[in-house]
Amino acid sequence: AGEPGRHHAGGTPGGALLPGPLVRPAGCPAGMDADSRFAAVTTRACWTGTLPYAFMAADFGSVLFDGAGRTLWADPAAATAAFTPDGTALVVVQDEVTVWFLAGLRRPGLTPAPRPPHARGHALFTRLPLPETPAERPCSYWPVRLAAVTDEARAVVFSTQLDRGTARRRQVVWQRTEEDAAPAALLLPPGPGPAAALSALAFDPAGRVIARAVLSDEARLLLDGLDGLPRWRYALPAGGRRGPQRLHTAFSGDGTRVALAAADGRSVVLDTASGRPVGAFREPGPTLQAVALDRTGTHVAHGMAGEGRGRVVVRRVDDGTVLLESGPRELRQFTDLAFSPHGDTLAAAGATHRRDAALWTLPRSGPEPAPSPQVAVHDLPLSDQPRGSLLWAADGPRAVFPGSRGAGVVWDATTGRVLADIPFGAGEGAVALSPDGRTLVTVTQAGARRWPL
């Protein structure tokens, strides 16, 4: 609903409307599903005074909230409703017809806090950053799916489709060696074979090398320098289950080791300098969806989920000894795993059975009861194979939850706050969080932007 008296940006016809902050109501009835068909036909909005108001009902609840995120009225049952033409009242239809006057629902003396202006971020580049490409060429002919960024956005690597007529993708490295220096860009060497598909992408914590997990006839890990020169290549030994595959990769906190894991349960930990394996594992059971290494790479964690159940296994790398095996409560799928800096705690990010984005904290000391989720965002539908990320910043875990329906979030577990709202879905662009958790970069067909957290 448009605010009365406000038109185009700058007050000129034909200007662009700038998106404001995303408002989420606090205190919604449990079980509300904003993605339901019922919600699609019951949602209403209006302006009264200086605030917008919204009503939404789903199969298991109804809620009225204002533009400051305050819930003014809620009911655990479904309802239909409409605002009066002047926007002063809401008529709710259930077994009875009830009229609620919006002025009477506001708490006396409570005024909405002023909102900071919407930050548009800093553009790193707005075209494919290669010297030989014309200025009018987009960053990719199809949406960018994967990207990674170093601390302070000194370098960004992303997957792009250079040719409109082929599905093959290449990886571009953009970097700025000094703050005032002109940026440079180059293409990484192509993967093995014409059908190689990139499945995971990561910088080491120091931002010196890039790990690419690719699928072709084999599952491979390619390690390249920022100069575009290959360091080494490693092929995961055959013998896994047949069927659709997906790869995952993660560096240790000190960057000395890197892990490669496949959805069928195979995984290996490699020495970053030489590419030699220092530990190999095979996890039975459901699909492997996440892998993590601790600070020194002496412990590896695998996250598996399937048939409505999740399981986390922590092993010692040198001999494969199981140190922790836990089944987080209500976990339906993983988006990522991360060890704390001291390695005594493991965090798991993912989705609950209610489709909430959530975090589970698992002490490695065990045994312990199965951990319960800390809900980050209620009702944030994720895709079947979400490309999320989780890291342990200096003050605690931070997670990127890539929504599948045109939205995503960056969430801080220490404060419980959403730090950034991603204005596109998982299939429309790539979201990258730096190893220290302080830099957020989004890459789309229109370019790359660095956003303040």
Side-chain angles (χ1 to χ4, degrees):
E3 180 179 354
R6 294 190 65 177
H7 305 289
H8 300 281
T12 58
L17 287 171
L18 299 180
L22 189 64
V23 177
R24 289 190 174 87
C28 283
M32 276 198 70
D33 181 6
D35 214 33
S36 71
R37 295 181 179 179
F38 192 62
V41 299
T42 62
T43 302
R44 300 287 184 269
C46 77
W47 280 90
T48 294
T50 60
L51 277 179
Y53 290 79
F55 171 86
M56 179 180 291
D59 302 287
F60 301 101
S62 308
V63 64
L64 169 70
F65 61 98
D66 65 14
R70 299 188 298 256
T71 294
L72 306 177
W73 174 89
D75 193 294
T80 57
F83 290 98
T84 57
D86 61 1
T88 60
L90 178 73
V91 180
V92 179
V93 180
Q94 293 175 301
D95 293 338
E96 297 178 343
V97 179
T98 310
V99 178
W100 297 91
F101 292 93
L102 302 187
L105 293 173
R106 290 199 296 264
R107 282 180 285 174
L110 185 62
T111 58
R115 293 188 178 277
H118 178 66
R120 292 184 59 81
H122 171 69
L124 299 178
F125 52 86
T126 56
R127 53 175 289 271
L128 193 65
L130 295 173
E132 62 273 16
T133 56
E136 66 274 8
R137 188 168 187 173
C139 286
S140 179
Y141 280 110
W142 292 100
V144 177
R145 296 173 183 169
L146 289 171
V149 62
T150 65
D151 293 344
E152 301 177 356
R154 294 187 303 272
V156 177
V157 60
F158 66 99
S159 175
T160 179
Q161 191 162 349
L162 296 172
D163 190 344
R164 190 193 304 271
T166 178
R168 190 177 188 188
R169 289 175 175 264
R170 295 288 299 276
Q171 286 76 58
V172 176
V173 180
W174 174 96
Q175 58 182 314
R176 189 192 301 272
T177 55
E178 300 292 340
E179 188 65 30
D180 298 329
L186 54 84
L187 282 173
L188 290 179
L198 183 69
S199 188
L201 187 63
F203 275 106
D204 73 311
R208 298 193 183 102
V209 293
I210 303 163
R212 293 181 289 164
V214 298
L215 280 167
S216 55
D217 55 334
E218 297 176 299
R220 297 174 183 265
L221 189 66
L222 318 179
L223 200 78
D224 302 280
L226 291 182
D227 54 7
L229 299 178
R231 297 296 194 264
W232 48 259
R233 271 78 176 114
Y234 178 85
L236 196 64
R241 302 189 298 269
R242 293 186 177 181
Q245 282 286 18
R246 184 174 172 191
L247 304 178
H248 309 272
T249 187
F251 281 95
S252 61
D254 60 8
T256 59
R257 292 182 174 182
V258 60
L260 173 67
D264 60 19
R266 293 174 295 158
S267 73
V268 63
V269 178
L270 306 160
D271 178 78
T272 304
S274 65
R276 290 194 299 267
V278 294
F281 316 94
R282 186 183 298 273
E283 299 290 359
T287 304
L288 193 152
Q289 297 182 341
V291 65
L293 292 171
D294 65 358
R295 185 180 63 83
T296 58
T298 54
H299 301 96
V300 60
H302 300 120
M304 288 79 67
E307 299 179 353
R309 298 181 62 186
R311 183 166 62 96
V312 175
V313 176
V314 177
R315 295 180 181 272
R316 196 157 44 221
V317 170
D318 58 359
D319 58 10
T321 301
V322 175
L323 304 177
L324 173 69
E325 186 166 2
S326 179
R329 296 177 184 174
E330 303 180 38
L331 190 146
R332 183 174 67 89
Q333 61 184 160
F334 287 92
T335 54
D336 207 358
L337 294 170
F339 280 96
S340 65
H342 297 292
D344 55 349
T345 306
L346 181 72
T352 69
H353 293 286
R354 297 173 180 265
R355 299 202 301 181
D356 298 331
L359 182 90
W360 290 260
T361 304
L362 301 87
R364 208 190 69 199
S365 55
E368 84 293 331
S372 297
Q374 179 185 354
V375 174
V377 179
H378 287 286
D379 191 29
L380 183 70
L382 305 180
S383 63
D384 291 336
Q385 293 186 334
R387 299 181 184 275
S389 63
L390 172 67
L391 54 88
W392 209 291
D395 53 355
R398 287 185 174 180
V400 175
F401 293 103
S404 62
R405 302 294 178 87
V409 300
V410 180
W411 179 76
D412 181 80
T414 304
T415 62
R417 292 194 308 115
V418 171
L419 300 181
D421 292 297
I422 310 300
F424 52 77
E428 301 165 337
V431 181
L433 201 58
S434 64
D436 64 2
R438 298 181 180 276
T439 302
L440 173 70
V441 167
T442 58
V443 187
T444 67
Q445 291 173 273
R449 281 187 174 272
R450 175 181 179 179
W451 301 89
L453 290 181

